[in-house]
Amino acid sequence: MKFLHYIIRNALRSPVRSLLTIGSTTMCLALMMMLLSFLSVNDSVATSLRTYNRLIVMSSQGFTQPVPYARVGEIASMKGVKGTSTFSWFGGKYNEEPMPFAQFGVSADKIFTLYDEFNVPPDQVKAFAEDKTGCAIGRKLAEERKLKVGDSVPLKGDAYPLDLTLTIRAIYDGPATRDLRMCFFHWDYLNEELKKVAPNSKMLDNAGVVIVKCESADQMATLTKGIDNQYVNSDTPTRTQSEEAFNRLFTEMFGDLRGMIQNIGLAVVFSLIFVAGNAMAMALRERTTEVAVLKAMGFGRGLVINLIITEAILVTLVGGILGAIGSKFFFDLVDLSKYTAGFLPFFFVPWSTALLGVGASLLIGFLSGIFPAIRAAQLSVVNGLRKVV
Amino acid sequence: MGKPHSIVLQNVNKEYRRDEFVIPVLSDLDLVVDEGEYLALMGPSGSGKTTLLNLIAGLDRATSGAVIVHGQDLGTMSEGQVTRWRADNVGFIFQLYNLIPVLTAFENVELPLLLTHLSKKHRRENVMTALRAVGLDGREDHYPRQLSGGQEQRVAIARAVVTDPYLLVADEPTGDLDRKSAEEILSLLQQLNTEFGKTIVMVTHDPQAAQRASRILHLDKGKLVRDEQQISFPVGVAS
Ligand SMILES: Nc1ncnc2c1ncn2[C@@H]1O[C@H](COP(=O)(O)OP(=O)(O)OP(=O)(O)O)[C@@H](O)[C@H]1O
Ligand SMILES: [Mg+2]
């Protein structure tokens, strides 16, 4: 386009103003990318769990309520069940780290049969099962904390009135969609220690939730109903669902997170339209005479509108590319999932989300430019030249 | 045997309306300008000179009457048509030059050519020819702020003639210049008239400037009060 260099010069006329518009677009889009990617990552994690044929049994009162340990054995003996494990959140503080990483008391002899997508050397599986104070940790956790087999992991109790000192016996690896920052230890050990210090604790004999591995996918629906039916009249009724559904429950914990994030996204887009539109209107007010001169020379309305909208788009597009594509690359380098305490096994900005961000910046540019552009196009040449506008 | 008519105004009225007030600016104006004439418009401030110039240049429309320029009745054309007509037929020169500050001299002159289908190479040739004609070759990469007022006005003239328009309109082109620069600009306009046959309409307050024209028209309160044909050019100017 032969007018491009003129458009670029115009955009650079007031560099501070353009930089401010670019800066706010960049910041807002980076924020939008984070929020949207959070949703899409969470989605793909949940979806990937579908293939493992696992159910989660929790209390019908919610997953923070206890499920009696007896259920672990009872459910294991049901038809179509391959194995079960406790899964109890400990949440101890490691060294001086402010955020606990994910630690779970599990059935140590079963856990890697249930989580068969994890790769662990067989001798390590055995060593973990045999050492009551042993633990198995994920590869990423090991790498980030520079931990290896044989190291000790001291955990300061937070929700529990006790500390645990575990020894690493196994390091598991697995697919990228799975959390490779967990620490599994013997549920028995936790329960015994708790009995010593707080014999009347409500948390005693609490399995947390029960993980159920089904023999095949066909059994999942029947088992989901079967388990809940079995306990519906007990003191502690259960709520059973697929691991995928359970995972999605975590985002629902924050209410309608999806709707909220989408609304924030829209609010961001709208406020950017006003910010960029105001900057553009200001720029054009300073150029009233110039626009009149162009029109006198024979620049038609359509062309004037085009030039101005292109200029507006150019500015927001630079911000959009920096914010959207930039945050994509940024989060490829900086793994945000480290800081989510196991909430997200990984974090990245998918290309589809980044391109959506770039698209949003185009739209913002267009909408911010259209009104000042139309105004400028409608301005009478004679008045523009007289500067009576 | 007269030359073909370049500009014909028949019974032209122009009034501005502000709320219910009607401000008459030009009344019952008749005027015929021949091709290749160099017309100076004079008159007191507010007499309607700029308004008349705007009508002739197709920037504004008459309230009534006909404005026919180069055979085209401007009143019958649509907004878009008039805009295109201006691009092809009219070159503008303003008192305050009105160059685009973020473009170089070259780019300023090239601007009207961007509306044509000329190739980049042909545009460059035309721009350089125009800059040479106004004596500014070698200054093409300078920005307006790096030029003197007289030089800026010469760039503006190059911009006005680069599309080879039929008509040049100039509203007080020397109003902001010192005597010497003004003389240079006036000589340039005269040259464009005599050597390139451009029809020129120039508004001016300066009697000395008006002397350079082939005809001087005096306007007062929206009426033509005097029409002087210059017999010959003053000695020592052009050749
Ligand atoms: N848009 C407008 N609305 C109302 N009145 C206008 C408008 N434009 C011009 N006028 C009036 O029309 C009259 C003629 O204006 P014009 O600019 O043509 O005068 P001029 O002869 O060029 O004056 P000057 O020598 O000061 O440039 C003036 O009284 C002016 O106030
Ligand atoms: Mg005037």
Side-chain angles (χ1 to χ4, degrees), chain A residues 386, chain B residues 49-51 171-172 203 205:
Chain A
R386 274 183 202 275
Chain B
K49 304 182 295 293
T50 298
T51 305
D171 199 343
E172 301 186 39
V203 169
H205 280 291

Side-chain angles (χ1 to χ4, degrees), chain A residues 2 9 13 295-297, chain B residues 86 92 102 107 114 116 159:
Chain A
K2 47 190 172 181
R9 298 280 179 79
R13 239 172 229 242
K295 287 164 78 181
M297 255 184 223
Chain B
R86 282 200 307 268
F92 290 88
V102 290
E107 291 161 344
L114 296 180
T116 67
R159 179 177 69 180

Side-chain angles (χ1 to χ4, degrees), chain A residues 382-383 386 388, chain B residues 16-18 23-25 43-52 171-172 203 205 219:
Chain A
V382 171
N383 286 342
R386 274 183 202 275
V388 297
Chain B
Y16 287 104
R17 265 166 219 282
R18 192 158 286 169
I23 307 159
V25 179
S45 186
S47 56
K49 304 182 295 293
T50 298
T51 305
L52 178 57
D171 199 343
E172 301 186 39
V203 169
H205 280 291
L219 223 61

